């Protein structure tokens, strides 16, 4: 049986599943990610690795991992795993589709509401003693009900986002690499090119994977197309947004605010200017962080490892081209 390196303590039954399948499990003991040299050492001694989104696997690490057969990410995204380099070395990469879409859309929605109605800024002010009276002008936000939502990337999370918008009687526009007429019918949403989505939306919510094509998809030009009253919500990947351009847009008041569950880099250093804006909400990449979903994600990653080490095809292989 195989040796499995797990880069963090995981919720749920994942580690028991691996042990019950006869594998020898080594878990990185730290609460933080293993530093690059520890990740390299863990991979070097392993037949399989159960990884997290912040474990950045390099070609050099893969060269040192002579026995490695599978990298199972506990995430739907897999840009951290260098899938093309892994493929060259015959290493399978897997992810966790399907299980986290609803949980992630819940969080994107929480961020949208928090940003539009000053939830975080007013909480901070209240704790600091700022609530001295009821004020007709304090913390005025914008209405979500009846507004226009722009979804960028209509995968399973984008769709879950669109479903929630119905309850708020929103107009929903989406931009996506491929047009999806069936989803348009089913969800009552409209396709538009990205520029038009950006120009019409009161809330722009990003749901694309990070690839060479989507890196800095939202840059100075795209931010300039957004309404001055619009908010940007990012639960996808920090790299999809050009953060310097976002900082400039916020500084110049060219958009109303942003809510970011993902940044570039992660964690976002405390001296980053994004922290200085009261109209920016930043959370630490927790969109999939419900107990049930994180347990399911870890168990799915474990199931992929058990399949590959057992000589069977992976359950959730990712494209590695
Ligand atoms: C993912 O799954 O890719 C998220 O970013 C982490 O849950």
């Amino acid at each position: 049986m195989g040796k499995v390196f797990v880069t963090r303590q995981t919720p749920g039954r994942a580690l028991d599943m691996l042990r019950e399948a006869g594998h020898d499990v080594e878990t990185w003991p730290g609460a933080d990610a293993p530093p690059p040299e520890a990740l390299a050492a863990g991979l070097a001694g392993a037949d399989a690795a159960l990884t997290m989104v912040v474990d950045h696997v390099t070609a050099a690490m893969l060269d040192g991992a002579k026995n490695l057969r599978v990298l199972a990410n506990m995430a739907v995204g897999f840009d951290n795993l260098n899938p093309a380099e892994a493929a060259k070395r015959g290493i399978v990469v897997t992810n966790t589709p399907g299980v986290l879409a609803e949980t992630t859309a819940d969080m994107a929605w929480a961020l949208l509401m928090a940003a539009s109605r000053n939830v975080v800024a007013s909480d901070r002010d209240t704790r600091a003693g700022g609530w001295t009276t009821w004020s007709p002008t304090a913390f005025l936000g914008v209405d979500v009900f009846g507004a226009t939502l722009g979804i960028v990337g209509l995968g399973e999370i984008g769709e879950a986002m669109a479903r929630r918008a119905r309850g708020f009687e929103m107009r929903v526009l989406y931009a996506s690499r491929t047009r999806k007429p069936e989803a348009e019918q089913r969800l009552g949403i409209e396709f538009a090119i990205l520029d038009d989505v950006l120009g019409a939306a009161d809330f722009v919510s990003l749901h694309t994977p990070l690839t060479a094509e989507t890196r800095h998809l939202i840059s100075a030009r795209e931010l300039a197309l957004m309404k001055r009253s619009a908010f940007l919500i990012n639960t996808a990947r920090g790299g999809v947004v050009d953060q310097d351009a976002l900082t400039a847009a916020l500084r110049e008041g060219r958009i109303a605010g942003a809510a970011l569950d993902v940044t570039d880099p992660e964690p976002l250093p405390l001296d980053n200017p994004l922290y200085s804006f009261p109209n920016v909400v930043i959370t630490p990449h927790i969109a999939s962080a419900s107990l049930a979903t994180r347990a399911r994600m870890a168990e799915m990653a474990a199931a992929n490892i058990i399949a590959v080490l057992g000589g069977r095809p992976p359950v959730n292989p990712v494209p590695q081209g």
Side-chain angles (χ1 to χ4, degrees):
M1 285 288 130
K3 184 145 189 224
V4 183
F5 179 54
V6 183
T7 66
R8 220 70 56 74
Q9 298 296 331
T10 57
R13 293 202 67 259
L15 300 187
D16 290 338
M17 285 167 63
L18 290 166
R19 291 194 185 101
E20 283 161 18
H23 300 303
D24 176 12
V25 178
E26 184 203 335
T27 307
W28 172 250
D32 289 333
E37 47 299 353
L39 179 59
L43 297 178
D47 298 292
L50 197 160
T51 52
M52 314 292 140
V53 284
V54 286
D55 299 321
H56 291 281
V57 173
T58 64
M61 289 180 191
L62 295 173
D63 282 337
K66 298 290 179 224
N67 297 329
L68 193 66
R69 290 163 61 192
V70 53
L71 286 166
N73 223 23
M74 185 181 144
V76 70
F78 48 87
D79 46 279
N80 57 307
L81 291 185
N82 228 325
E85 289 297 324
K88 286 185 201 160
R89 294 158 181 81
I91 299 166
V92 173
V93 175
T94 69
N95 70 343
T96 62
V99 290
L100 52 84
E102 301 299 338
T103 306
T104 301
D106 283 351
M107 181 69 182
W109 210 265
L111 289 173
L112 186 158
M113 299 292 286
S116 60
R117 296 300 305 275
N118 295 303
V119 172
V120 177
S122 63
D123 175 86
R124 260 191 224 124
D125 183 72
T126 302
R127 287 165 200 262
W131 187 8
T132 53
T133 180
W134 183 88
S135 162
T137 53
F139 296 108
L140 298 181
V142 299
D143 285 319
V144 174
F145 185 85
T148 298
L149 173 64
I151 293 178
V152 180
L154 196 74
E156 53 188 11
I157 302 172
E159 282 206 16
M161 193 71 191
R163 275 199 307 280
R164 283 156 178 73
R166 283 182 148 177
F168 288 84
E169 297 192 17
M170 296 176 98
R171 177 181 182 208
V172 180
L173 302 174
Y174 79 98
S176 191
R177 239 178 357 165
T178 26
R179 188 169 177 178
K180 301 187 174 162
E182 182 278 322
E184 288 170 30
Q185 289 291 320
R186 180 165 39 86
L187 300 168
I189 61 179
E190 301 161 47
F191 175 79
I193 60 164
L194 178 62
D195 286 6
D196 292 348
V197 170
L198 294 172
D202 299 303
F203 301 95
V204 174
S205 191
L206 305 179
H207 300 287
T208 59
L210 178 63
T211 63
E213 290 77 47
T214 62
R215 179 169 292 283
H216 290 190
L217 180 69
I218 304 300
S219 215
R221 190 189 79 84
E222 289 72 26
L223 289 161
L225 293 172
M226 286 175 63
K227 295 183 186 175
R228 288 185 98 84
S229 55
F231 291 83
L232 180 70
I233 318 297
N234 191 3
T235 52
R237 283 292 180 269
V240 175
V241 176
D242 175 345
Q243 247 168 227
D244 291 340
L246 175 62
T247 304
L250 288 160
R251 192 169 281 136
E252 291 157 23
R254 281 191 275 109
I255 62 170
L260 312 170
D261 186 51
V262 286
T263 57
D264 186 15
E266 291 182 7
L268 189 66
L270 280 176
D271 59 359
N272 191 286
L274 284 172
Y275 287 115
S276 67
F277 299 109
N279 52 344
V280 173
V281 177
I282 301 175
T283 52
H285 203 151
I286 55 170
S288 66
S290 76
L291 179 57
T293 292
R294 286 280 169 89
R296 276 200 292 270
M297 290 162 67
E299 288 159 10
M300 225 165 145
N304 276 293
I305 291 173
I306 292 166
V308 175
L309 295 189
R312 294 183 300 282
V315 194
N316 311 102
V318 307
Q320 291 186 246

